[in-house]
Amino acid sequence: MVFVADLTYPDYNMTSFTLVPPNTPIQKGWRIRNTGSCTWNSGYVLRYVNGNHPEADMGGAPTPIIGNVPPGSDYDIYVNLSHRPHPVYIRVSGR
């Protein structure tokens, strides 16, 4: 899998971050590419791996792929997140 583009809350190649006000629902979206040799299906998930702050997980849960994504294809995935009741700058990595 490789990152193709931010669809929401861009981080501008890790040079600038989006300030999210307290108690704001967040739907983070990425375009990712299947660079493997297997077709992704609902058995594949995007899972939180790390972020720029101990609270960067923001309550995110593994998000399954919907449909089938053949090798070489792009897929837009959106993750519903929540965060603590204070402002945060978000940077989230997935695998």
Side-chain angles (χ1 to χ4, degrees):
M1 176 185 82
V2 296
F3 167 81
V4 176
D6 283 307
L7 301 176
T8 60
Y9 297 99
D11 62 24
Y12 305 102
N13 206 24
M14 305 307 291
T15 60
S16 180
F17 301 97
T18 302
L19 178 63
V20 179
N23 300 312
T24 302
I26 300 167
Q27 187 178 65
K28 175 66 180 163
W30 298 274
R31 179 162 295 138
I32 55 178
R33 181 168 298 134
N34 180 353
T35 57
S37 59
C38 298
T39 296
W40 295 344
N41 56 37
S42 62
Y44 289 76
V45 298
L46 183 69
R47 179 181 317 273
Y48 169 80
V49 175
N50 64 40
N52 62 325
H53 189 275
E55 295 180 343
D57 71 328
M58 296 181 283
T63 302
I65 299 294
I66 298 172
N68 293 312
V69 184
S73 296
D74 289 353
Y75 182 77
D76 293 350
I77 191 163
Y78 293 88
V79 179
N80 292 317
L81 303 171
S82 60
H83 68 84
R84 311 310 187 257
H86 53 80
V88 293
Y89 288 94
I90 59 173
R91 185 194 98 201
V92 178
S93 301
R95 226 183 251 168

